């Protein structure tokens, strides 16, 4: 974690403030017995004094990045009454409210006993503070009693002035370079069109009345010096797939149309915002209400891995295939969809937003083996800003303009986030062994008239011999029963056993 917010941090900060889809990360522990209050209190204290104990400070100088400051104030540990097992997910869905990464705290711990003698624990965290893997790391440190280091800035205006100079220097130099490269490219294209048109006219004239070509004529013919890039095939950018024989290449987009929301492959078939046919009312302030429908299911890791290996794929490609077919089972009509795939880019364990996003196109006939190859190729081309324009531009312009430029960043038909294996410390809360652990994102305050393009999000984690698959449908007109039936139908052709919570 650095003392200044990254571009990704600020994107999530804008969504938290209503400019985009609100995102709160959540870990849900399920145990077969009650969890002692002392264990919960120790976990809260570890989180309060750990890497999540910080908040956002606005910069005092235009162009300077926002910064992190220490904040060890925590929301109260909330102990709820007994809830029925059937209401577990509804309870967890409603735990995303009251988080404030600007004033703090941006996280919360809650607990409820279950009617079957077990219990459920919820840890929610604003996406501004951490991504999915980082939230796991923060919980691991708190459970093991490891003190996390928080790098925060003092309230010193001199540091803001220095950061503003750096930011504006990067933005102005990078934008100028990108503009000049664009001009040179357009000049090369214009010259190439003139040359090609001249050659076509000459060939047509020669076909009608051939003329002898003397050495003098050749020597005196005007020549045109093309830029060194002319005639070369452009390298694929983050917004273009690798060339596919027989498929016409899309025309390049203007930078203003693609800034900060590029992806591989280019895909603009769906609007960035949708309106639910179930209505356009606001959700309740305390939770997601009916704006989303959620589901959690578990599967033995040995079986999951065996099915993936026998199909020539990986556990991850099998996961992507199941999510895609679940959307089709829900009635999605096109035979091709696009999946957004977050990628953990941290080189060392840090509690921050350290991720990139890529995307793959999926057809109904794609096998886990084919999806493995598609994902492997896609990971080489991450979403980024086009034409060399520095992404830092999103940090020096007003928030509403930055939101407009970055609107829909990373959104595709489905989201497949593989959080990966969880540390052993996550598998127990004191003496209470976990029977399941779900890691996912929820969307408190999401409006049904401003739904994102993403229709279905899937989150996968691995703990103690079990894969846990969490689904979040962003189609409010669905029911949990429909989502459950669609998931089971999608998993059946793969022979994948799933046990819903």
């Amino acid at each position: 974690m650095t003392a200044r917010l990254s571009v990704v941090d600020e994107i999530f900060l804008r969504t938290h403030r209503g400019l985009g889809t609100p995102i709160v990360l959540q870990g849900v522990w399920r145990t077969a017995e009650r969890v002692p209050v002392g264990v919960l209190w120790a976990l809260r204290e570890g989180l309060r004094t750990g890497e999540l104990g910080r908040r956002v400070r606005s910069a005092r100088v235009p162009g300077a990045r926002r910064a992190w400051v220490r904040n060890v104030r925590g929301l109260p540990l909330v102990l709820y009454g007994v809830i029925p097992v059937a209401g577990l997910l509804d309870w967890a869905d409603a735990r995303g409210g009251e988080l404030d990464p600007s004033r703090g705290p941006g996280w919360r711990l809650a607990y409820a006993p279950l009617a079957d003698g077990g219990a459920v624990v919820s840890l929610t965290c604003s996406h501004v503070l951490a991504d999915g893997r980082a939230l796991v790391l923060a919980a691991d440190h708190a459970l093991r009693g490891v003190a996390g280091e928080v790098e925060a800035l003092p309230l010193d205006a001199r540091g803001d002035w220095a950061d503003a100079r750096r930011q504006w220097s990067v933005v102005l130099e990078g934008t100028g370079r990108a503009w000049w490269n664009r001009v040179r490219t357009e000049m090369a294209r214009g010259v190439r069109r003139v040359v090609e048109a001249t050659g076509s006219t000459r060939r047509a004239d020669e076909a009608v009345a051939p003329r002898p070509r003397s050495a003098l004529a050749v020597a005196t013919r005007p020549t045109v010096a093309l830029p060194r890039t002319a005639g070369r095939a452009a390298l694929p950018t983050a917004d273009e797939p690798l060339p596919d024989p027989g498929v016409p290449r899309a025309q390049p987009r203007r930078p203003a149309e693609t800034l900060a929301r590029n992806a591989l492959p280019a895909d603009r078939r769906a609007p960035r915002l949708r309106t639910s046919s179930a209505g356009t009312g606001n959700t309740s302030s305390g939770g997601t209400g009916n704006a989303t429908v959620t589901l959690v299911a578990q599967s033995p890791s040995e079986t999951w891995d065996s099915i993936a290996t026998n199909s020539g794929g990986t556990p991850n490609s099998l996961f992507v295939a199941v999510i895609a077919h679940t959307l089709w089972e829900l009635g999605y009509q096109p035979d091709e969809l696009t999946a957004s795939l977050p990628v953990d880019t941290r080189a060392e364990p840090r509690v921050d937003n350290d991720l990139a996003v890529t995307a793959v196109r999926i057809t109904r006939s794609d096998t886990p083996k084919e999806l493995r190859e598609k994902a492997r190729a896609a990971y080489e081309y991450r979403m980024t800003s086009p034409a060399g324009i520095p992404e830092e531009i999103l940090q020096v312009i007003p928030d509403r303009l930055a939101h407009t430029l970055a609107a829909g960043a990373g959104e595709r038909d489905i989201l497949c986030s593989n959080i990966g294996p969880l540390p052993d410390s996550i598998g127990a809360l004191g003496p209470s062994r976990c029977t399941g652990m779900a890691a996912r994102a929820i969307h408190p305050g999401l409006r049904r008239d401003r739904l994102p393009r993403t229709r279905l999000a899937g989150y996968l984690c691995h703990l103690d011999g079990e894969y846990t698959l969490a689904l979040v449908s962003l189609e409010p007109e669905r029911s949990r029963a429909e989502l459950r039936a669609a998931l089971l139908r999608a998993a059946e052709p793969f022979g994948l056993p799933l046990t819903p919570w």
Side-chain angles (χ1 to χ4, degrees), residues 274-441:
R274 296 179 291 118
T275 298
S276 169
S277 59
T280 59
N282 292 346
T283 60
S284 65
S285 60
T288 57
N290 293 324
T292 60
V293 181
T294 65
L295 184 70
V296 175
Q298 292 181 223
S299 181
S301 58
E302 184 176 353
T303 304
W304 188 299
D305 293 344
S306 176
I307 292 172
T309 301
N310 292 338
S311 65
T314 63
N316 185 61
S317 65
L318 177 58
F319 161 56
V320 174
V322 169
I323 300 301
H325 283 275
T326 300
L327 183 60
W328 278 313
E329 290 293 341
L330 285 170
Y332 187 72
Q333 294 300 317
D335 290 330
E336 181 181 82
L337 57 79
T338 310
S340 177
L341 308 178
V343 185
D344 183 4
T345 55
R346 54 180 49 84
E348 58 185 21
R350 293 191 305 270
V351 177
D352 58 5
N353 283 298
D354 200 339
L355 55 86
V357 182
T358 188
V360 294
R361 285 181 182 151
I362 305 174
T363 66
R364 291 180 185 265
S365 61
D366 282 340
T367 65
K369 179 180 180 180
E370 291 167 330
L371 290 179
R372 176 186 185 181
E373 297 304 318
K374 286 185 176 184
R376 180 179 296 173
Y379 289 146
E380 299 299 322
Y381 297 93
R382 312 284 171 80
M383 294 186 186
T384 183
S385 56
I389 296 177
E391 61 182 9
E392 287 85 354
I393 195 172
L394 297 175
Q395 295 179 292
V396 301
I397 60 179
D399 281 346
R400 289 192 177 277
L401 178 57
H403 166 65
T404 300
L405 293 178
E411 292 179 4
R412 293 298 182 263
D413 301 312
I414 60 174
L415 169 70
C416 301
S417 179
N418 189 346
I419 297 172
L422 306 181
D424 292 339
S425 62
I426 299 292
L429 295 173
S432 306
R433 194 69 194 170
C434 295
T435 58
M437 170 67 184
R440 61 180 188 164

Side-chain angles (χ1 to χ4, degrees), residues 32 54 63 79 83 101 118 147 159 197 204 253 268 271 276 364 389 421 446 476:
R54 63 186 194 274
L79 305 178
I83 62 174
R253 304 179 197 171
R268 304 178 70 182
S276 169
R364 291 180 185 265
I389 296 177
L446 178 62

